[in-house]
Amino acid sequence: MDTASYLPEQVVGNEFFGTLAESAPVMFRGAELRHFIAPGQTATDMIARATGKLVDRLGIDPRTEIDLVLTNVSLPDQPFLGCGASVAKALGARPKQVIDLHNAGCVSFVVMLEVARAMMTASDIRTALLCTAQTAAGRLGTEAENRRLPQAVTPGDGCGVGYVVAGRSSPVRSVLTRVYPEYADDMAIACAEDRQWWDTRSRPLYVDFTKQRQIEIHERGTRIVPEVVRAACDQAGITTEDIDVLVTNQSHPVILRKWSSALGVPEERHINTFPEHGNLFGAAHAISIERAVHTGALRPGHVLALGGFSHAGDYAAAAVIDWQKGVSA
């Protein structure tokens, strides 16, 4: 039905990272600004703020019109616990089911769409709130030691939510996920003390990429996303030439351009929020859809294609949606 966003108030420019923003490898350059979550701020708070926009725009009553809550948070507020039940509490909702997805990363929004679709087909769930929150930038990137790492430059924090209803207003023509287990260990949380994340330590955690892994991840991401988007188009009975708007995760401008070229989608129809928001991980899809609607790039009757990959390429996903089919422009 719609998506909405919340971006933390703190806006961070490249000066925060000194000369690193310009000297980092190409994979970690291109962002001019990004938002950082505030100390003490939670994913639940960000999700509630974004959902408030949907409630106002769509006239939703959270008490009766949210059957399912799905969440994905890049760096959860608490170990063990997802935030789905806390989100329901903050909204005054009484969902029939809450599922906190801790996998899928940058394609979590598309995976949630697939889960919601399956549950609506198999049960009495009719409405779903899809919640994606990126919290790792401000929680890890502000550490003085981490600010010297090139991978700290590109992430930004933010939250994107979507509201899904069983019906015919914006039919999902296809949605699919591909899993590549062989790449599962190519990205990891590390510490200079060589200790596990749950161990006592005096130095911060960071996301670990070796130089060779950076090259490999760039190459596989460039390859697997056009493949999965084409497969979703085949399922929907269209070609990539029929795509009016392409929304992907915002991993890097170079990769975005390669995806546009490989799919034959003009760059102006491929939404790009990277310069002002950086890499928003799983939140990028919902935030980019909202951008496309508000700028007029995505209009009723358009074919919307979603695509992307996560982590080091262990997941890829895509979907094709007839955006607000039958709604007059």
Side-chain angles (χ1 to χ4, degrees):
M1 296 291 292
D2 199 0
T3 69
S5 66
Y6 169 77
L7 295 161
E9 294 180 4
Q10 183 183 8
V11 179
V12 177
N14 284 338
E15 66 279 359
F16 180 82
F17 303 96
T19 59
L20 182 60
E22 300 302 325
S23 62
V26 172
M27 181 178 176
F28 300 118
R29 279 186 271 167
E32 300 170 12
L33 302 170
R34 73 285 290 151
H35 297 254
F36 276 3
I37 190 172
Q41 190 172 30
T42 65
T44 296
D45 173 65
M46 293 206 299
I47 291 170
R49 288 171 181 253
T51 304
K53 295 166 65 175
L54 282 183
V55 168
D56 292 341
R57 290 207 296 255
L58 298 177
I60 301 167
D61 184 349
R63 297 170 298 178
T64 58
E65 295 181 277
I66 300 178
D67 294 336
L68 170 66
V69 175
L70 297 169
T71 72
N72 176 273
V73 180
S74 59
L75 194 63
D77 299 332
Q78 296 284 344
F80 301 112
L81 303 177
C83 68
S86 296
V87 168
K89 178 182 177 181
L91 298 175
R94 302 292 294 185
K96 298 176 182 178
Q97 183 62 270
V98 170
I99 300 176
D100 296 301
L101 301 174
H102 290 298
N103 67 333
C106 294
V107 293
S108 55
F109 188 81
V110 186
V111 172
M112 288 178 189
L113 186 63
E114 186 174 37
V115 170
R117 187 189 196 199
M119 294 187 72
M120 287 175 176
T121 301
S123 72
D124 62 347
I125 287 173
R126 312 264 42 93
T127 58
L129 182 67
L130 317 185
C131 312
T132 52
Q134 151 61 346
T135 57
R139 290 177 173 175
L140 296 181
T142 53
E143 295 282 352
E145 189 172 323
N146 286 349
R147 284 165 62 176
R148 300 195 295 268
L149 299 174
Q151 56 264 42
V153 175
T154 56
D157 292 325
C159 172
V161 299
Y163 187 64
V164 179
V165 175
R168 300 179 179 179
S169 58
S170 293
V172 178
R173 296 174 64 173
S174 67
V175 57
L176 61 91
T177 302
R178 289 180 172 174
V179 183
Y180 302 91
E182 62 269 31
Y183 306 138
D185 297 326
D186 286 359
M187 190 187 88
I189 290 290
C191 176
E193 295 175 323
D194 194 26
R195 298 179 67 80
Q196 298 295 339
W197 67 266
W198 56 82
D199 292 329
T200 302
R201 63 192 178 279
S202 59
R203 301 181 70 178
L205 299 170
Y206 63 91
V207 179
D208 184 30
F209 291 101
T210 65
K211 186 174 182 180
Q212 182 59 36
R213 282 177 178 172
Q214 294 171 25
I215 296 171
E216 292 172 353
I217 293 168
H218 181 102
E219 290 176 348
R220 75 177 60 128
T222 301
R223 171 177 52 83
I224 64 179
V225 172
E227 289 176 354
V228 74
V229 172
R230 288 192 194 96
C233 287
D234 288 343
Q235 281 192 5
I238 66 171
T239 70
T240 58
E241 294 179 354
D242 298 313
I243 296 172
D244 293 304
V245 176
L246 175 64
V247 168
T248 62
N249 65 302
Q250 301 288 298
S251 53
H252 191 272
V254 173
I255 294 180
L256 296 183
R257 288 195 293 271
K258 289 183 177 180
W259 288 341
S260 297
S261 176
L263 292 169
V265 176
E267 287 188 30
E268 62 270 19
R269 300 213 306 260
H270 185 182
I271 306 303
N272 180 4
T273 63
F274 191 91
E276 63 268 46
H277 298 327
N279 187 346
L280 287 165
F281 294 22
H285 281 95
I287 290 173
S288 296
I289 293 171
E290 183 185 48
R291 163 76 66 84
V293 171
H294 286 180
T295 60
L298 179 60
R299 299 188 297 277
H302 273 173
V303 173
L304 169 65
L306 309 180
F309 78 105
S310 64
H311 309 134
D314 48 356
Y315 296 95
V320 174
I321 301 166
D322 283 332
W323 185 254
Q324 296 184 358
K325 182 179 180 180
V327 178
S328 57

